[in-house]
Structures are given as C-alpha cells and as structure tokens.
Amino acid sequence: MTGFTEGSLNSRLKELNSSQQSIQTLSLWLIHHRKYAHTVVKIWSKEILAGSESKQLTLMYLANDIIQNSKKKGPEYGKEFGKELAKAFKQISLNNCSSKTRQSLTRLLNIWEERGVYSKIQIDEFKDAFGKESVKKPIGEPPSKKVKHSHNHKSKKSKSQNNGIKKDKEVIVEVDGTKELHVTLSPKTPVNDPPEPEELIKALNDLENAPSCDAVVRERISKLPPEIADVSLLSQLKGKDEGEELLRKVNDAVALLTDYNTRLVCEMEDRKKVFSMLHDFIQSQRDLIDQAEQRLQEYQGKLQKVCQVRQEVNTHLQNLPDLAQLPSVKGGLAPLPSAGDLFTVG
C-alpha cells in the first residue's frame, strides 16, 4: 500500500464513489494507516461540510465501514468519528436531505444501536442532531394520486394481526374519476430492514464486475515468470544484474497480487452483504405473500356471504305474487262507500 499523506487522502476522497468496491478499498487503506486516524477524520469532516447530498451519504457509508471493520485492530477510528458524527448528521439535516437519504442514515443509526457500535447516549445525540425536519421529495418523483381516506372502512382486527403482522392500510383512491379501494400490505418486521428492490438490483449488478471476473488481471497473474516463485532457480542467476532484474519482477508480482487480494477481500465482503440483503428481501416477500393469502381468504369469505345474500334476494323475488295475475285497474278503483252508506239501515 502507498504511504499516507494528506494530499493522497484528499485525492482518494475526491475519487470516492458510492460503489461497495470503492468504499471498501478506501476503507482498507485508511484502516491500514489508522495511526493517522485524527487527521483522517478531520479531513473527512471537512468533506462532509462541503459535499453534495450524494457525496455526504457516500462519506457516511465510508465512516460506517471504517468504524465497524477497525474495531478488532483498535478503537482509534471509533473514538475520532464519535467526536465528529453529531456535527455531520446536523449538517446533512440542515441541507434538507431527501427522504431516501434520511431513511438510509436512520437505518445506519439503528444498526449502530443494535450492534453496540456506540453507546445509547451517543446514538441519542446523533439522532437529536439529525432531527426530524421535513424532507424534500427526490427529484423525478411522480406526483401523488388524489387519495381520500375512507370513513366507511374502519380498521378491524384481523387474523393477520394476531400473527404479528402489521395492520393493513385501506384507502379510497380516485383514478381518472373512478374510485378504487386500495389495500397496502405490511410485512412482519425482520431483524434487518429489507432493502429496496433498486438497491438490491444495483448490488447484484456490481457483482457482475467483481474482481474474480477480472480476466485481464487473472491472465497477468497466470503469465508471471516461474523464477519469481521457484527458489530452486535462484542458483541459475549469473550475476548482479540478473539478481536485480529478478528482484524487480518479484516486487512487481507482489504489488499485483497484493492489490488483487485486497480487491478479492472486498468482493467477499460484498457477497456477504448481498447474501444478507437477499435473505432479508426474500423473507419480507414471503411475509407479504402470507399476508396476501390471508387477505384473499378473508375477501373470499365476504364474497361467499354476498353471493348467499344475493341468492336469498332472488328467492324472495321469485316468491312475490305475479303482477300479471292481479285484476286490471286501468279504469280506476271503485269508489269507497260513504259514511252514510255505511250506517244506512236496510
């Protein structure tokens, strides 16, 4: 790995992007140079203050990776970031971040709290700094439909609630002048929040360009000269020049293999995270399927009752007298007798 300088760190931070490979490669480099933790965090904090929303989120993911992966080697980064995170969360919140960014950082805080990365007091401090300000809609978000909450569909406890599933939400949605009843299903709350489909797709697409699929580097490794690994060939060296040339080849090979191994380590971590994301996503989809089946059974029971009532109404209509058999009243009804007629004594 190259030596640490503030200039090299600034350059790497500017080149940092939101891909897992980019974040973890820089994280490994910084963990290797953890004796400069104080300087690293100060420069990171300046980048947070000056960066765009997307850059700020990427820098927070970088901090998370460094904090969690450096715990075994020492507490330097955890302590240094702990001094700056409240300021970082406050800055991101003051920039009126989007709902997606707020959701991602809230999930990050919950993970830190669950794993004990920071104390409850520190987590509360970060949450207070992040605040609950209103968030702006992401660019490109379509306008919402006109929604009217129905007063005729009061919430009722269903079987799904007894199984620990959150209550469904029923709303009347007006689409092109037609009112429709929409039911939103809520899965059971998993241990980890399930990822968004777009987030999972992006993670899977990133794996398509994983280091293990890098045919160019693998070919370079396969073509390394045998003398750099075979000690028995050292006896064939004829002079200083050949020895220096062999040393140069060995150094080049070490640099190549070290870089490739670092990338492979990052890939292994990526695959572990994608596996966890897939597990949470599949579990949430199974919960939704179970809830949908329960809702289907509930509505099938309601449909059966409606069909039964319809059959009873049809039977009642068939038992009514036939109007065609009643006497004609086209000429009008006969006049009712008068009071005198009723009391006339014959």
Side-chain angles (χ1 to χ4, degrees):
M1 292 187 178
T2 58
F4 177 87
T5 63
E6 292 188 18
S8 63
L9 174 58
N10 284 319
S11 176
R12 287 171 182 264
L13 287 175
K14 289 189 179 347
E15 295 173 357
L16 180 68
N17 58 58
S18 59
S19 69
Q20 289 290 338
Q21 180 176 336
S22 177
I23 292 172
Q24 291 183 349
T25 299
L26 181 53
S27 173
L28 287 172
W29 185 75
L30 292 174
I31 291 172
H32 178 74
H33 296 291
R34 60 187 179 279
K35 64 181 179 180
Y36 301 103
H38 179 75
T39 302
V40 169
V41 175
K42 287 296 182 185
I43 295 175
W44 173 90
S45 183
K46 290 179 182 178
E47 291 292 323
I48 282 280
L49 295 176
S52 62
E53 179 179 329
S54 60
K55 188 70 172 182
Q56 288 173 332
L57 182 59
T58 302
L59 289 169
M60 293 299 289
Y61 284 151
L62 173 65
N64 173 62
D65 199 281
I66 295 172
I67 293 167
Q68 298 209 53
N69 290 318
S70 65
K71 287 191 296 185
K72 294 182 180 179
K73 296 186 177 181
E76 298 92 345
Y77 275 116
K79 291 180 179 178
E80 293 297 334
F81 274 112
K83 301 173 185 177
E84 299 291 333
L85 282 170
K87 188 192 303 182
F89 277 112
K90 185 175 182 180
Q91 180 63 34
I92 296 172
S93 181
L94 290 175
N95 287 346
N96 195 22
C97 61
S98 67
S99 58
K100 189 170 183 180
T101 297
R102 183 170 289 276
Q103 181 181 5
S104 299
L105 293 180
T106 300
R107 182 185 303 172
L108 193 62
L109 284 169
N110 292 335
I111 291 173
W112 288 351
E113 186 172 11
E114 290 170 4
R115 298 181 180 178
V117 176
Y118 287 106
S119 67
K120 182 70 166 59
I121 296 175
Q122 287 176 294
I123 295 294
D124 289 341
E125 181 186 357
F126 300 157
K127 289 181 178 180
D128 290 340
F130 199 28
K132 297 181 179 179
E133 288 82 357
S134 59
V135 296
K136 61 185 178 181
K137 289 186 177 181
I139 298 175
E141 181 177 326
S144 57
K145 294 181 179 179
K146 184 179 179 182
V147 177
K148 295 181 180 179
H149 290 275
S150 171
H151 297 289
N152 296 326
H153 296 274
K154 296 181 179 179
S155 58
K156 297 181 180 179
K157 290 186 178 180
S158 62
K159 296 179 181 178
S160 61
Q161 289 175 284
N162 297 330
N163 292 333
I165 298 177
K166 295 179 181 178
K167 182 172 61 180
D168 303 339
K169 181 180 179 182
E170 294 184 355
V171 294
I172 297 295
V173 180
E174 187 174 324
V175 183
D176 298 332
T178 303
K179 293 182 179 181
E180 301 175 356
L181 173 63
H182 283 207
V183 179
T184 302
L185 302 179
S186 301
K188 294 178 181 178
T189 304
V191 177
N192 299 316
D193 291 333
E196 296 294 330
E198 296 81 4
E199 184 181 356
L200 182 58
I201 291 171
K202 182 180 182 301
L204 291 171
N205 287 337
D206 289 342
L207 287 181
E208 292 182 359
N209 299 319
S212 59
C213 301
D214 192 339
V216 175
V217 174
R218 294 172 68 89
E219 185 178 1
R220 287 179 60 191
I221 293 174
S222 67
K223 291 182 178 179
L224 289 174
E227 58 267 20
I228 66 173
D230 192 347
V231 180
S232 63
L233 298 179
L234 291 176
S235 60
Q236 299 179 9
L237 294 176
K238 297 179 180 179
K240 179 180 178 181
D241 292 339
E242 290 188 4
E244 290 179 348
E245 178 64 19
L246 178 60
L247 178 62
R248 183 188 64 78
K249 292 179 180 179
V250 170
N251 289 336
D252 290 344
V254 169
L256 175 63
L257 292 173
T258 300
D259 180 68
Y260 189 57
N261 286 336
T262 301
R263 293 172 60 197
L264 289 176
V265 169
C266 293
E267 180 185 344
M268 289 176 64
E269 293 299 321
D270 286 345
R271 291 187 180 277
K272 289 179 182 178
K273 291 182 179 180
V274 171
F275 174 79
S276 178
M277 292 169 67
L278 282 170
H279 176 271
D280 294 337
F281 184 78
I282 291 172
Q283 183 61 48
S284 68
Q285 295 304 306
R286 285 175 177 168
D287 289 341
L288 288 175
I289 291 173
D290 291 341
Q291 189 176 1
E293 289 177 348
Q294 292 176 358
R295 295 290 299 186
L296 178 59
Q297 291 177 2
E298 180 183 344
Y299 282 110
Q300 284 177 338
K302 292 180 180 180
L303 177 61
Q304 187 176 0
K305 290 180 181 179
V306 170
C307 292
Q308 183 179 352
V309 171
R310 178 183 295 176
Q311 185 177 1
E312 291 175 356
V313 170
N314 289 334
T315 302
H316 179 69
L317 290 175
Q318 291 174 2
N319 292 332
L320 290 175
D322 188 356
L323 297 179
Q325 301 298 325
L326 295 176
S328 176
V329 292
K330 291 182 179 179
L333 296 173
L336 295 173
S338 65
D341 293 334
L342 291 174
F343 295 101
T344 300
V345 179

